Amino acid sequence: MNKHKKQKQKIRAEFRKRHETRRRKRDFTQQFARDPAADTDELAAGERVSGKGDLTRKRTVVGAQSSADESGLSVAPAIDPVTMRHGRVLRIHGLASVVETDDGSTLRCATRGLLKSLSTDQRHVLAVGDFVWFRPVGSGEGVVERIEPRQRVLSRTSRGRQHVLVANVDQLLIVSSAAEPVLKPNLIDRLLVTGERSRIRPIICINKVDLVDPAELQPMVGVYGQMGYRILLVSMVTRFGLERLRHVFKDQATVLAGQSGVGKSSLLNAIEPELNLRVRTVSQDSQKGRHTTTGAQLIPLKCGGYVVDTPGVRQFQLWDVSAAEVAGFYRDVRPWVNHCRYPNCTHIHEDGCAVKDAVADGRLDARRYASYCHLFAGEDA
Ligand code: GDP
Ligand code: ZN
């Protein structure tokens, strides 16, 4: 299934009936959603929401001419850099969201009525990780007016619907351990497919190398390295590889995945010792609101960048990946598939299969092929 096709269909949303009369010819939100790359100069009519006091939502269509953005931020039409500010959604509590401004402060935002009235298949119009434009109202509050087009979305499909867990994730840190629990390369492969599927750069991190002879890991490092994946060997006990790891996190939005016990919490604490404390602060503050945080959140790092904390994401499922697609997400299998005798070859049992031939003469790693067969069959890693 082509996720992007699917998303586009969904975004081409209709207003709900009760908003029908408000439909405007040049609604930038619609236009923006339809084609994020559309030439924004064409969208001459601007719209602003004006509010008096906290979070009122009085609509004023000002019809301002869209000007070239003086701040150079030409991501959306009719941005007024004087009244609007740019930020990123760190977390969502019910209908409100916590937005971090570009200067690092946070404020609570409501979402503009019009954005909410777009009916999409997603539970929330806003997603954690979204880059937004908002208008400050009162002190420490604002109204989100514009959502920038999303890149690299981490999503989950439930009951046939795609739910965005986090938007604009830069990389997927696949955490595994060399021992205790035993290294599971099949799980790494499964997570690599997940990364490839969402176009989120996967990085492999093998923790607890203090428990093994690092030479044992070299063949595996070679296999993944040859495919172009970055693979880091680390130990949170000896702090081996910690500086390189810190560098990996810097200025990126990173989501961690891996089975429990491999050392993800230890790793985060090593990267930023105060993280524990801050995570606790975050959950305390969410209790103040009417709604508690159920979804993901972005946790800003001192070194720059974010850690994406997503309950449930650590037990990754393969979203929307059909068996037939799996080969395309195996970087080392993919080059052979066009040479198979049958165009719909599954590379499992067919004669004249170039993938199996590649395994037979050692050009494709046998362990990787075995993990492909596992995944194809839908078996657990
Ligand atoms: P998580 O479930 O992935 O968050 O894993 P934790 O961070 O809770 O770690 C699980 C256990 O592994 C803890 O007892 C840690 O002390 C231990 N651990 C973490 N990193 C290392 C390491 O590099 N070497 C060794 N030997 N143990 C580690
Ligand atoms: Zn084949």
Side-chain angles (χ1 to χ4, degrees):
M1 242 185 289
N2 184 326
K3 186 172 77 179
H4 287 266
K5 231 182 228 163
K6 216 170 117 193
Q7 259 184 351
K8 261 193 179 157
Q9 280 171 0
K10 286 176 179 173
I11 291 170
R12 217 170 276 158
E14 307 243 297
F15 283 94
R16 289 183 193 136
K17 260 204 183 115
R18 61 192 175 95
H19 290 295
E20 220 37 59
T21 51
R22 290 188 189 166
R23 195 171 203 152
R24 283 171 305 271
K25 211 170 133 200
R26 286 181 166 174
D27 178 80
F28 62 73
T29 313
Q30 268 205 332
Q31 176 73 29
F32 208 38
R34 207 177 290 137
D35 183 7
D39 185 359
T40 53
D41 286 348
E42 277 177 30
L43 298 163
E47 186 201 51
R48 265 180 230 152
V49 173
S50 81
K52 294 191 184 89
D54 286 354
L55 306 182
T56 58
R57 288 187 298 272
K58 202 184 273 176
R59 271 140 137 4
T60 315
V61 178
V62 291
Q65 290 292 307
S66 170
S67 57
D69 195 330
E70 280 131 40
S71 64
L73 297 159
S74 56
V75 289
I79 295 286
D80 180 349
V82 177
T83 57
M84 303 258 268
R85 295 178 69 194
H86 189 252
R88 190 163 194 192
V89 178
L90 296 183
R91 51 191 186 273
I92 293 173
H93 310 292
L95 291 172
S97 57
V98 175
V99 173
E100 182 189 41
T101 62
D102 289 350
D103 63 21
S105 58
T106 56
L107 77 176
R108 210 175 163 81
C109 285
T111 304
R112 195 174 64 125
L114 180 68
L115 291 184
K116 279 192 295 198
S117 69
L118 282 167
S119 77
T120 69
D121 276 2
Q122 290 159 18
R123 267 178 298 188
H124 298 286
V125 172
L126 271 188
V128 168
D130 270 337
F131 290 105
V132 295
W133 288 93
F134 66 92
R135 198 171 39 77
V137 289
S139 63
E141 296 196 328
V143 177
V144 172
E145 307 217 5
R146 215 68 61 82
I147 307 170
E148 290 188 25
R150 291 170 187 154
Q151 318 278 336
R152 299 175 307 273
V153 162
L154 204 57
S155 63
R156 183 171 52 202
T157 305
S158 72
R159 279 172 274 132
R161 291 177 160 207
Q162 189 204 20
H163 296 301
V164 175
L165 295 171
V166 201
N168 309 310
V169 176
D170 296 307
Q171 53 190 15
L172 168 65
L173 191 73
I174 299 172
V175 187
S176 205
S177 59
E180 297 175 22
V182 66
L183 188 64
K184 288 190 177 166
N186 283 9
L187 182 58
I188 295 177
D189 292 342
R190 181 174 286 258
L191 293 170
L192 285 173
V193 168
T194 299
E196 298 283 346
R197 174 74 181 82
S198 346
R199 297 194 191 83
I200 297 173
R201 177 175 63 247
I203 297 172
I204 303 164
C205 175
I206 313 286
N207 187 29
K208 309 199 189 184
V209 293
D210 55 291
L211 299 176
V212 298
D213 174 1
E216 286 173 26
L217 298 169
Q218 282 314 311
M220 200 186 75
V221 170
V223 167
Y224 287 119
Q226 228 167 21
M227 280 184 256
Y229 291 119
R230 188 151 183 212
I231 173 161
L232 299 164
L233 303 184
V234 301
S235 166
M236 294 309 112
V237 167
T238 65
R239 313 215 124 210
F240 175 80
L242 192 56
E243 275 318 303
R244 262 180 303 157
L245 193 61
R246 229 189 278 276
H247 205 74
V248 164
F249 276 91
K250 190 175 168 357
D251 298 331
Q252 305 291 317
T254 306
V255 62
L256 269 70
Q259 66 178 133
S260 83
V262 295
K264 294 181 298 298
S265 318
S266 314
L267 190 152
L268 289 175
N269 284 333
I271 295 295
E272 187 152 322
E274 291 145 69
L275 207 55
N276 249 348
L277 189 75
R278 285 165 66 183
V279 172
R280 213 184 312 130
T281 311
V282 164
S283 60
Q284 274 167 1
D285 109 6
S286 74
Q287 281 160 19
K288 281 187 213 151
R290 277 192 303 136
H291 305 273
T292 50
T293 309
T294 48
Q297 56 181 320
L298 289 191
I299 301 169
L301 294 172
K302 269 197 184 151
C303 64
Y306 304 85
V307 171
V308 181
D309 187 28
T310 42
V313 140
R314 286 161 195 176
Q315 286 82 43
F316 264 117
Q317 295 299 315
L318 287 171
W319 316 282
D320 298 338
V321 179
S322 66
E325 284 179 310
V326 173
F329 295 129
Y330 267 63
R331 284 188 188 176
D332 46 351
V333 171
R334 191 167 50 204
W336 305 107
V337 302
N338 284 337
H339 303 287
C340 296
R341 182 180 301 160
Y342 307 110
N344 58 348
C345 186
T346 63
H347 326 299
I348 305 285
H349 55 76
E350 291 88 345
D351 290 332
C353 172
V355 173
K356 288 200 290 177
D357 289 349
V359 179
D361 57 28
R363 285 171 295 162
L364 177 58
D365 184 56
R367 208 275 315 148
R368 279 278 293 176
Y369 175 67
S371 99
Y372 163 78
C373 295
H374 259 83
L375 241 179
F376 186 86
E379 287 161 27
D380 285 344

